[in-house]
Protein backbone atom coordinates (compact mmCIF):
# COMPACT_ATOMS: atom_id res chain seq x y z
CA UNK A 1 0.00 0.00 0.00
CA UNK A 2 1.40 3.38 -1.00
CA UNK A 3 0.29 6.80 0.24
CA UNK A 4 1.22 10.01 -1.58
CA UNK A 5 -0.93 12.99 -0.66
CA UNK A 6 0.62 15.64 -2.90
CA UNK A 7 1.37 16.15 -6.60
CA UNK A 8 5.14 15.90 -6.06
CA UNK A 9 4.61 12.71 -4.07
CA UNK A 10 2.57 11.27 -6.93
CA UNK A 11 5.58 11.66 -9.25
CA UNK A 12 8.04 10.07 -6.81
CA UNK A 13 5.66 7.26 -5.86
CA UNK A 14 4.98 6.45 -9.53
CA UNK A 15 8.68 5.92 -10.03
CA UNK A 16 8.85 3.76 -6.90
CA UNK A 17 6.04 1.62 -8.33
CA UNK A 18 7.90 1.27 -11.64
CA UNK A 19 11.09 0.32 -9.78
CA UNK A 20 9.29 -2.33 -7.74
CA UNK A 21 7.57 -3.76 -10.82
CA UNK A 22 10.91 -4.17 -12.58
CA UNK A 23 11.94 -6.45 -9.70
CA UNK A 24 8.57 -8.12 -9.04
CA UNK A 25 6.28 -8.12 -12.07
CA UNK A 26 3.52 -9.75 -10.03
CA UNK A 27 3.41 -7.01 -7.39
CA UNK A 28 -0.10 -5.75 -6.61
CA UNK A 29 -0.67 -2.13 -5.57
CA UNK A 30 -3.40 -0.32 -3.66
CA UNK A 31 -2.73 3.37 -3.18
CA UNK A 32 -3.76 6.91 -2.40
CA UNK A 33 -2.20 9.11 -5.07
CA UNK A 34 -2.52 10.65 -8.50
CA UNK A 35 -2.60 10.02 -12.22
CA UNK A 36 1.08 9.13 -12.54
CA UNK A 37 0.75 6.42 -9.90
CA UNK A 38 -2.37 5.11 -11.66
CA UNK A 39 -0.44 4.79 -14.93
CA UNK A 40 2.49 3.04 -13.25
CA UNK A 41 0.32 0.67 -11.21
CA UNK A 42 -2.24 -0.01 -13.91
CA UNK A 43 -5.13 0.72 -11.54
CA UNK A 44 -7.03 3.67 -10.12
CA UNK A 45 -6.26 5.26 -6.72
CA UNK A 46 -8.46 4.59 -3.72
CA UNK A 47 -8.36 8.34 -3.08
CA UNK A 48 -6.91 10.87 -5.52
CA UNK A 49 -4.19 13.13 -4.13
CA UNK A 50 -6.08 16.19 -5.43
CA UNK A 51 -8.57 15.55 -2.62
CA UNK A 52 -5.77 15.35 -0.04
CA UNK A 53 -3.48 18.22 -1.04
CA UNK A 54 -4.23 21.08 1.37
CA UNK A 55 -1.75 23.69 2.56
CA UNK A 56 -1.66 25.90 5.63
CA UNK A 57 -3.36 25.66 9.01
CA UNK A 58 -6.62 27.37 7.99
CA UNK A 59 -7.07 25.20 4.90
CA UNK A 60 -6.36 22.01 6.88
CA UNK A 61 -8.90 23.08 9.50
CA UNK A 62 -11.52 23.82 6.84
CA UNK A 63 -11.10 20.41 5.21
CA UNK A 64 -10.51 18.45 8.44
CA UNK A 65 -13.66 16.26 8.26
CA UNK A 66 -12.75 15.16 4.73
CA UNK A 67 -9.12 14.46 5.68
CA UNK A 68 -10.19 12.43 8.71
CA UNK A 69 -12.46 10.44 6.41
CA UNK A 70 -9.50 9.67 4.16
CA UNK A 71 -7.52 8.53 7.19
CA UNK A 72 -10.34 6.20 8.29
CA UNK A 73 -10.50 4.79 4.75
CA UNK A 74 -6.73 4.18 4.72
CA UNK A 75 -6.84 2.45 8.09
CA UNK A 76 -9.69 0.23 6.98
CA UNK A 77 -7.85 -0.66 3.77
CA UNK A 78 -4.71 -1.56 5.72
CA UNK A 79 -6.66 -3.86 7.98
CA UNK A 80 -8.63 -5.50 5.16
CA UNK A 81 -5.86 -5.77 2.57
CA UNK A 82 -2.93 -6.56 4.93
CA UNK A 83 -0.18 -5.64 2.43
CA UNK A 84 3.36 -6.98 2.69
CA UNK A 85 4.54 -3.39 3.11
CA UNK A 86 3.17 0.10 3.61
CA UNK A 87 5.13 2.74 1.67
CA UNK A 88 4.69 6.35 2.74
CA UNK A 89 5.87 9.32 0.64
CA UNK A 90 6.41 12.57 2.56
CA UNK A 91 3.00 14.02 3.73
CA UNK A 92 3.85 13.52 7.43
CA UNK A 93 0.72 14.85 9.16
CA UNK A 94 -1.32 12.05 7.58
CA UNK A 95 1.31 9.40 7.03
CA UNK A 96 2.74 9.21 10.53
CA UNK A 97 -0.76 8.53 11.88
CA UNK A 98 -1.14 5.71 9.36
CA UNK A 99 2.31 4.38 10.27
CA UNK A 100 1.09 3.91 13.84
CA UNK A 101 -1.85 1.82 12.58
CA UNK A 102 0.42 -0.30 10.37
CA UNK A 103 2.82 -0.87 13.26
CA UNK A 104 -0.09 -2.10 15.42
CA UNK A 105 -1.11 -4.50 12.62
CA UNK A 106 2.44 -5.81 12.22
CA UNK A 107 2.86 -4.37 8.71
CA UNK A 108 6.38 -3.10 7.86
CA UNK A 109 6.46 0.65 7.19
CA UNK A 110 8.84 2.10 4.59
CA UNK A 111 9.08 5.90 4.44
CA UNK A 112 10.42 7.58 1.30
CA UNK A 113 11.36 11.27 1.75
CA UNK A 114 11.76 12.12 5.40
CA UNK A 115 9.57 14.72 7.07
CA UNK A 116 11.63 17.89 7.61
CA UNK A 117 12.05 17.18 11.30
CA UNK A 118 15.56 18.64 11.18
CA UNK A 119 13.98 22.06 10.52
CA UNK A 120 10.88 21.98 12.73
CA UNK A 121 8.66 19.59 14.69
CA UNK A 122 11.66 17.57 15.83
CA UNK A 123 9.36 15.78 18.26
CA UNK A 124 8.14 13.71 15.31
CA UNK A 125 11.42 11.77 15.44
CA UNK A 126 9.99 9.81 18.36
CA UNK A 127 7.09 8.55 16.20
CA UNK A 128 9.39 7.78 13.29
CA UNK A 129 11.68 5.69 15.49
CA UNK A 130 8.74 3.83 16.97
CA UNK A 131 6.61 3.16 13.90
CA UNK A 132 8.82 3.35 10.76
CA UNK A 133 10.70 0.18 9.84
CA UNK A 134 12.98 1.85 7.27
CA UNK A 135 13.39 5.45 6.17
CA UNK A 136 14.91 6.39 2.79
CA UNK A 137 16.38 9.87 2.76
CA UNK A 138 16.83 12.14 -0.27
CA UNK A 139 19.04 14.70 1.51
CA UNK A 140 22.55 13.57 2.49
CA UNK A 141 22.74 15.57 5.73
CA UNK A 142 19.70 13.72 7.13
CA UNK A 143 21.79 10.64 7.89
CA UNK A 144 23.84 12.60 10.43
CA UNK A 145 20.71 14.20 11.90
CA UNK A 146 19.03 10.86 12.54
CA UNK A 147 22.29 9.31 13.75
CA UNK A 148 22.27 11.88 16.57
CA UNK A 149 18.85 10.50 17.48
CA UNK A 150 20.17 6.92 17.44
CA UNK A 151 18.16 5.99 14.35
CA UNK A 152 19.59 4.64 11.11
CA UNK A 153 18.31 6.00 7.81
CA UNK A 154 19.59 5.32 4.30
CA UNK A 155 20.43 8.12 1.87
CA UNK A 156 19.33 6.83 -1.53
CA UNK A 157 20.03 9.87 -3.70
CA UNK A 158 17.91 12.84 -4.67
CA UNK A 159 15.17 12.54 -7.33
CA UNK A 160 15.82 16.07 -8.61
CA UNK A 161 19.25 14.99 -9.87
CA UNK A 162 17.78 12.55 -12.38
CA UNK A 163 14.88 14.86 -13.19
CA UNK A 164 17.15 17.81 -14.01
CA UNK A 165 19.53 15.59 -15.99
CA UNK A 166 16.51 14.54 -18.08
CA UNK A 167 15.48 18.19 -18.45
CA UNK A 168 18.96 19.12 -19.70
CA UNK A 169 18.86 16.25 -22.17
CA UNK A 170 15.79 17.65 -23.91
CA UNK A 171 16.44 21.37 -23.37
CA UNK A 172 15.40 23.52 -26.36
CA UNK A 173 17.77 26.29 -27.53
CA UNK A 174 17.05 29.74 -26.13
CA UNK A 175 15.76 30.96 -29.50
CA UNK A 176 13.24 28.12 -29.71
CA UNK A 177 12.16 28.67 -26.11
CA UNK A 178 11.44 32.35 -26.76
CA UNK A 179 9.65 31.68 -30.06
CA UNK A 180 7.49 28.97 -28.49
CA UNK A 181 6.21 31.48 -25.95
CA UNK A 182 5.78 34.35 -28.40
CA UNK A 183 8.61 36.44 -26.96
CA UNK A 184 10.60 38.47 -29.50
CA UNK A 185 12.77 40.32 -26.98
CA UNK A 186 16.42 39.33 -27.44
CA UNK A 187 17.82 40.83 -24.24
CA UNK A 188 19.34 38.34 -21.78
CA UNK A 189 16.79 36.74 -19.45
CA UNK A 190 16.22 37.38 -15.77
CA UNK A 191 13.96 34.63 -14.37
CA UNK A 192 11.48 35.19 -11.55
CA UNK A 193 10.21 32.04 -9.79
CA UNK A 194 7.75 33.43 -7.19
CA UNK A 195 6.28 30.11 -5.96
CA UNK A 196 3.45 27.77 -6.87
CA UNK A 197 0.63 29.14 -4.70
CA UNK A 198 -1.29 32.41 -4.84
CA UNK A 199 -0.07 33.51 -1.41
CA UNK A 200 3.56 33.04 -2.43
CA UNK A 201 3.03 34.94 -5.68
CA UNK A 202 1.25 37.76 -3.84
CA UNK A 203 4.06 38.13 -1.30
CA UNK A 204 7.13 37.56 -3.47
CA UNK A 205 6.39 38.77 -6.99
CA UNK A 206 6.11 42.53 -6.21
CA UNK A 207 9.52 42.57 -4.50
CA UNK A 208 11.07 40.55 -7.33
CA UNK A 209 9.52 42.82 -9.98
CA UNK A 210 10.73 46.00 -8.34
CA UNK A 211 14.27 44.65 -8.02
CA UNK A 212 14.27 43.36 -11.61
CA UNK A 213 13.10 46.74 -12.94
CA UNK A 214 16.48 48.16 -11.90
CA UNK A 215 18.21 46.08 -14.58
CA UNK A 216 16.75 47.45 -17.85
CA UNK A 217 19.31 45.58 -19.97
CA UNK A 218 17.54 42.32 -19.02
CA UNK A 219 14.09 41.04 -19.94
CA UNK A 220 11.98 39.68 -17.10
CA UNK A 221 10.17 36.36 -17.53
CA UNK A 222 8.09 34.77 -14.77
CA UNK A 223 7.82 31.01 -14.29
CA UNK A 224 4.10 30.44 -13.87
CA UNK A 225 2.35 27.73 -11.88
CA UNK A 226 -0.61 25.87 -13.38
CA UNK A 227 -2.55 26.53 -10.15
CA UNK A 228 -2.31 30.33 -10.59
CA UNK A 229 -4.06 32.02 -13.57
CA UNK A 230 -2.26 34.48 -15.86
CA UNK A 231 -4.52 37.37 -14.86
CA UNK A 232 -3.46 36.95 -11.23
CA UNK A 233 0.23 37.35 -12.10
CA UNK A 234 -0.52 40.49 -14.11
CA UNK A 235 -2.76 41.82 -11.36
CA UNK A 236 -0.06 41.37 -8.72
CA UNK A 237 2.70 42.70 -10.99
CA UNK A 238 0.42 45.60 -12.05
CA UNK A 239 1.39 45.23 -15.70
CA UNK A 240 -0.46 43.72 -18.65
CA UNK A 241 2.72 43.19 -20.64
CA UNK A 242 4.27 40.74 -18.19
CA UNK A 243 5.75 37.64 -19.81
CA UNK A 244 4.66 34.53 -17.88
CA UNK A 245 5.51 31.05 -19.19
CA UNK A 246 3.62 27.96 -18.04
CA UNK A 247 4.95 24.40 -18.21
CA UNK A 248 8.45 25.61 -19.06
CA UNK A 249 9.93 26.74 -15.75
CA UNK A 250 13.00 24.51 -16.03
CA UNK A 251 13.84 25.83 -19.50
CA UNK A 252 13.38 29.35 -18.15
CA UNK A 253 15.73 28.63 -15.25
CA UNK A 254 18.39 27.21 -17.54
CA UNK A 255 18.29 30.01 -20.10
CA UNK A 256 18.32 32.82 -17.52
CA UNK A 257 21.48 34.72 -16.71
CA UNK A 258 20.30 34.66 -13.08
CA UNK A 259 17.09 33.94 -11.17
CA UNK A 260 15.12 35.21 -8.20
CA UNK A 261 13.65 32.09 -6.61
CA UNK A 262 11.18 31.53 -3.78
CA UNK A 263 12.56 29.10 -1.19
CA UNK A 264 11.66 25.46 -1.84
CA UNK A 265 12.56 22.65 -4.24
CA UNK A 266 12.94 25.26 -7.01
CA UNK A 267 16.17 26.47 -5.37
CA UNK A 268 17.66 22.98 -5.73
CA UNK A 269 16.45 22.66 -9.33
CA UNK A 270 17.91 26.07 -10.22
CA UNK A 271 21.24 25.02 -8.72
CA UNK A 272 21.28 21.68 -10.57
CA UNK A 273 20.61 23.57 -13.81
CA UNK A 274 23.61 25.81 -13.07
CA UNK A 275 21.88 29.22 -12.88
CA UNK A 276 23.00 31.69 -10.18
CA UNK A 277 20.16 32.75 -7.90
CA UNK A 278 18.98 34.89 -5.02
CA UNK A 279 16.55 33.08 -2.70
CA UNK A 280 13.55 35.22 -1.73
CA UNK A 281 10.88 34.49 0.85
CA UNK A 282 8.88 37.58 1.75
CA UNK A 283 5.76 36.10 3.41
CA UNK A 284 4.20 38.94 5.42
CA UNK A 285 7.55 40.70 5.80
CA UNK A 286 7.10 41.10 9.55
CA UNK A 287 10.14 41.37 11.86
CA UNK A 288 8.05 39.64 14.53
CA UNK A 289 7.36 36.74 12.16
CA UNK A 290 11.10 36.54 11.51
CA UNK A 291 11.80 36.27 15.24
CA UNK A 292 9.18 33.53 15.58
CA UNK A 293 10.65 31.69 12.60
CA UNK A 294 14.14 31.94 14.12
CA UNK A 295 12.87 30.30 17.30
CA UNK A 296 10.99 27.56 15.41
CA UNK A 297 13.69 26.61 12.92
CA UNK A 298 16.43 24.27 14.08
CA UNK A 299 18.71 24.94 11.09
CA UNK A 300 21.01 27.77 10.04
CA UNK A 301 19.75 27.88 6.44
CA UNK A 302 16.41 27.35 4.69
CA UNK A 303 17.41 26.83 1.04
CA UNK A 304 18.38 23.34 -0.09
CA UNK A 305 21.70 24.25 -1.77
CA UNK A 306 22.93 25.80 1.51
CA UNK A 307 21.62 22.95 3.65
CA UNK A 308 23.25 20.30 1.44
CA UNK A 309 26.65 22.00 1.26
CA UNK A 310 26.57 23.29 4.83
CA UNK A 311 27.40 26.91 4.09
CA UNK A 312 26.01 29.99 2.32
CA UNK A 313 26.19 28.99 -1.35
CA UNK A 314 23.25 31.22 -2.29
CA UNK A 315 22.02 34.38 -0.53
CA UNK A 316 18.82 33.93 1.47
CA UNK A 317 16.61 36.98 1.94
CA UNK A 318 13.81 36.12 4.35
CA UNK A 319 10.75 38.09 5.49
CA UNK A 320 11.64 41.72 6.32
CA UNK A 321 15.15 41.20 4.94
CA UNK A 322 13.60 40.51 1.53
CA UNK A 323 13.41 44.04 0.16
CA UNK A 324 13.94 45.33 -3.39
CA UNK A 325 17.14 47.03 -2.24
CA UNK A 326 18.57 43.85 -0.71
CA UNK A 327 17.56 41.73 -3.71
CA UNK A 328 19.18 44.27 -6.06
CA UNK A 329 22.39 44.28 -4.05
CA UNK A 330 22.75 40.49 -4.15
CA UNK A 331 21.54 40.08 -7.73
CA UNK A 332 23.80 42.66 -9.38
CA UNK A 333 27.13 40.75 -9.14
CA UNK A 334 25.49 37.53 -10.37
CA UNK A 335 24.61 39.07 -13.74
CA UNK A 336 28.23 39.33 -14.91
CA UNK A 337 31.57 37.69 -14.28
CA UNK A 338 32.33 38.28 -10.60
CA UNK A 339 33.74 36.50 -7.56
CA UNK A 340 30.17 36.12 -6.23
CA UNK A 341 29.00 34.39 -9.40
CA UNK A 342 32.07 32.14 -9.55
CA UNK A 343 31.70 31.24 -5.86
CA UNK A 344 28.05 30.28 -6.31
CA UNK A 345 28.79 28.07 -9.32
CA UNK A 346 31.61 26.39 -7.39
CA UNK A 347 29.16 25.77 -4.54
CA UNK A 348 26.76 24.17 -7.03
CA UNK A 349 29.45 21.73 -8.11
CA UNK A 350 30.12 20.77 -4.50
CA UNK A 351 26.37 20.33 -3.93
CA UNK A 352 26.07 18.12 -7.00
CA UNK A 353 28.96 15.96 -5.78
CA UNK A 354 27.36 15.53 -2.37
CA UNK A 355 24.05 14.49 -3.88
CA UNK A 356 25.75 11.66 -5.76
CA UNK A 357 24.50 9.71 -8.77
CA UNK A 358 22.05 7.18 -7.34
CA UNK A 359 18.60 7.02 -8.91
CA UNK A 360 16.74 7.54 -5.66
CA UNK A 361 13.48 5.77 -6.46
CA UNK A 362 15.19 2.76 -8.05
CA UNK A 363 17.54 2.38 -5.09
CA UNK A 364 14.70 2.70 -2.57
CA UNK A 365 12.61 0.19 -4.56
CA UNK A 366 15.46 -2.34 -4.47
CA UNK A 367 15.85 -1.93 -0.70
CA UNK A 368 12.12 -2.35 -0.12
CA UNK A 369 11.99 -5.48 -2.27
CA UNK A 370 15.12 -6.86 -0.63
CA UNK A 371 13.48 -6.43 2.78
CA UNK A 372 10.61 -8.60 1.50
CA UNK A 373 13.05 -11.36 0.59
CA UNK A 374 12.84 -10.84 -3.16
CA UNK A 375 15.80 -11.59 -5.42
CA UNK A 376 17.29 -8.28 -6.55
CA UNK A 377 18.85 -8.02 -10.06
CA UNK A 378 22.47 -6.95 -9.78
CA UNK A 379 21.94 -3.72 -11.71
CA UNK A 380 19.10 -2.72 -9.38
CA UNK A 381 21.09 -3.49 -6.25
CA UNK A 382 24.13 -1.30 -6.91
CA UNK A 383 23.93 2.26 -5.60
CA UNK A 384 26.44 4.84 -6.77
CA UNK A 385 29.19 6.33 -4.69
CA UNK A 386 28.60 9.90 -3.53
CA UNK A 387 29.73 12.18 -6.30
CA UNK A 388 30.90 9.37 -8.56
CA UNK A 389 29.88 6.70 -11.01
CA UNK A 390 31.53 3.70 -9.39
CA UNK A 391 29.03 1.25 -7.92
CA UNK A 392 29.41 0.13 -4.33
CA UNK A 393 29.27 -3.66 -4.14
CA UNK A 394 26.58 -5.11 -1.91
CA UNK A 395 26.15 -8.66 -0.86
CA UNK A 396 23.12 -10.31 -2.41
CA UNK A 397 20.65 -11.11 0.33
CA UNK A 398 19.33 -14.64 0.33
CA UNK A 399 15.56 -14.48 -0.19
CA UNK A 400 13.61 -15.11 2.97
CA UNK A 401 10.69 -17.47 3.01
CA UNK A 402 7.63 -15.43 2.20
CA UNK A 403 4.45 -15.78 4.14
CA UNK A 404 1.51 -16.94 2.10
CA UNK A 405 -0.27 -13.99 0.51
CA UNK A 406 -3.52 -13.46 -1.34
CA UNK A 407 -1.49 -12.69 -4.46
CA UNK A 408 1.40 -14.38 -6.24
CA UNK A 409 3.53 -11.24 -5.99
CA UNK A 410 4.25 -8.87 -3.11
CA UNK A 411 1.32 -6.71 -2.05
CA UNK A 412 2.74 -3.24 -1.56
CA UNK A 413 -0.20 -1.02 -2.21
Amino acid sequence: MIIAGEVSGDLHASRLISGIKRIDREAVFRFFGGDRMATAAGSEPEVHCDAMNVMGFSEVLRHLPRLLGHLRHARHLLDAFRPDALILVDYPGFNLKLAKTAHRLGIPVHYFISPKVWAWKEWRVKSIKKYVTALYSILPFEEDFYRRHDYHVKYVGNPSVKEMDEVLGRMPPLRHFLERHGIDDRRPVLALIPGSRRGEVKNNLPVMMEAASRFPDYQVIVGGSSSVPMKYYRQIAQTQGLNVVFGATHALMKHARAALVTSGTATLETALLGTPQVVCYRSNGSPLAYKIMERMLKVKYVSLPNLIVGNAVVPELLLHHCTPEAVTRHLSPLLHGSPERDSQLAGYRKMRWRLGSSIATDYAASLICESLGLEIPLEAALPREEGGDTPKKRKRRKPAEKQESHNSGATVA
Side-chain angles (χ1 to χ4, degrees):
M1 181 165 169
I2 305 181
I3 306 293
E6 299 165 310
V7 174
S8 60
D10 176 46
L11 172 62
H12 300 316
S14 71
R15 291 178 171 174
L16 272 176
I17 291 171
S18 296
I20 291 169
K21 289 179 76 173
R22 280 193 290 272
I23 297 169
D24 182 6
R25 295 181 182 180
E26 303 300 320
V28 177
F29 299 89
R30 303 283 290 273
F31 60 94
F32 286 27
D35 297 341
R36 290 185 176 94
M37 292 174 70
T39 299
S43 59
E44 293 301 309
E46 300 286 333
V47 174
H48 199 284
C49 63
D50 286 348
M52 302 172 67
N53 188 14
V54 295
M55 300 294 296
F57 177 78
S58 60
E59 192 173 352
V60 169
L61 192 61
R62 188 165 64 252
H63 296 288
L64 187 59
R66 188 182 73 199
L67 294 173
L68 290 175
H70 295 331
L71 184 59
R72 286 193 297 272
H73 185 178
R75 285 170 168 160
H76 173 76
L77 186 62
L78 262 182
D79 193 22
F81 187 53
R82 295 295 175 115
D84 293 296
L86 170 65
I87 302 173
L88 307 172
V89 181
D90 203 1
Y91 203 57
F94 185 97
N95 278 340
L96 285 176
K97 294 179 178 65
L98 194 58
K100 182 177 180 180
T101 301
H103 178 76
R104 177 175 55 81
L105 295 172
I107 299 169
V109 177
H110 298 262
Y111 213 123
F112 181 70
I113 305 182
S114 168
K116 296 179 178 63
V117 287
W118 37 265
W120 59 81
K121 298 184 179 178
E122 193 170 348
W123 47 267
R124 281 178 165 166
V125 172
K126 183 177 179 180
S127 295
I128 292 170
K129 291 177 66 175
K130 187 172 183 179
Y131 304 127
V132 175
T133 309
L135 192 153
Y136 309 109
S137 161
I138 65 168
L139 295 170
F141 61 85
E142 289 178 334
E143 287 188 314
D144 286 338
F145 169 82
Y146 279 104
R147 191 176 295 117
R148 293 196 296 272
H149 287 274
D150 195 30
Y151 183 70
H152 175 75
V153 307
K154 185 66 177 178
Y155 174 66
V156 293
N158 190 288
S160 292
V161 173
K162 181 177 186 291
E163 290 162 12
M164 293 306 101
D165 284 349
E166 291 174 349
V167 164
L168 289 170
R170 59 176 185 268
M171 183 67 63
L174 173 60
R175 178 171 59 85
H176 293 172
F177 166 75
L178 294 173
E179 289 175 354
R180 186 174 300 167
H181 295 282
I183 301 171
D184 57 10
D185 194 329
R186 292 299 181 260
R187 289 176 296 169
V189 174
L190 175 57
L192 309 188
I193 315 296
S196 60
R197 297 189 292 274
R198 287 187 182 224
E200 292 176 325
V201 173
K202 179 182 178 181
N203 290 325
N204 294 306
L205 186 57
V207 174
M208 292 177 170
M209 288 292 298
E210 186 172 342
S213 70
R214 301 176 184 185
F215 300 93
D217 292 336
Y218 292 81
Q219 63 168 311
V220 174
I221 304 179
V222 176
S225 168
S226 60
S227 63
V228 181
M230 170 71 84
K231 65 180 181 181
Y232 190 78
Y233 287 100
R234 290 179 172 168
Q235 175 188 334
I236 296 299
Q238 297 184 338
T239 175
Q240 291 302 308
L242 181 67
N243 284 320
V244 183
V245 299
F246 293 89
T249 298
H250 294 139
L252 170 61
M253 290 173 175
K254 179 59 182 174
H255 289 309
R257 180 64 178 171
L260 304 180
V261 185
T262 295
S263 181
T265 305
T267 63
L268 176 59
E269 294 172 341
T270 304
L272 287 168
L273 293 170
T275 300
Q277 64 183 300
V278 178
V279 176
C280 306
Y281 188 77
R282 176 70 181 175
S283 188
N284 61 13
S286 163
L288 176 60
Y290 185 83
K291 290 294 184 184
I292 294 172
M293 184 183 72
E294 276 190 319
R295 288 182 175 276
M296 287 180 61
L297 291 179
K298 305 294 184 181
V299 289
K300 186 175 180 181
Y301 304 109
V302 300
S303 65
L304 289 172
N306 293 351
L307 286 165
I308 292 165
V309 175
N311 58 45
V313 175
V314 298
E316 298 179 351
L317 303 178
L318 310 178
L319 298 176
H320 67 292
H321 293 298
C322 185
T323 64
E325 293 74 24
V327 174
T328 300
R329 185 170 64 254
H330 286 282
L331 175 62
S332 181
L334 301 180
L335 293 172
H336 52 81
S338 66
E340 291 87 347
R341 184 180 177 92
D342 292 343
S343 175
Q344 198 167 127
L345 294 176
Y348 286 176
R349 290 190 290 272
K350 187 174 183 180
M351 180 200 75
R352 179 64 177 79
W353 180 84
R354 288 197 171 175
L355 289 172
S357 305
S358 295
I359 299 175
T361 48
D362 284 358
Y363 190 9
S366 72
L367 293 172
I368 292 167
C369 290
E370 186 179 48
S371 75
L372 297 175
L374 299 173
E375 184 74 13
I376 310 301
L378 185 61
E379 62 273 14
L382 293 177
R384 302 290 178 177
E385 291 281 5
E386 182 180 80
D389 294 323
T390 304
K392 292 188 286 188
K393 292 183 179 179
R394 291 168 57 213
K395 291 182 179 179
R396 182 76 58 83
R397 175 176 171 173
K398 183 178 179 181
E401 288 189 12
K402 236 179 140 320
Q403 292 182 343
E404 185 178 351
S405 174
H406 298 295
N407 303 284
S408 56
T411 55
V412 288

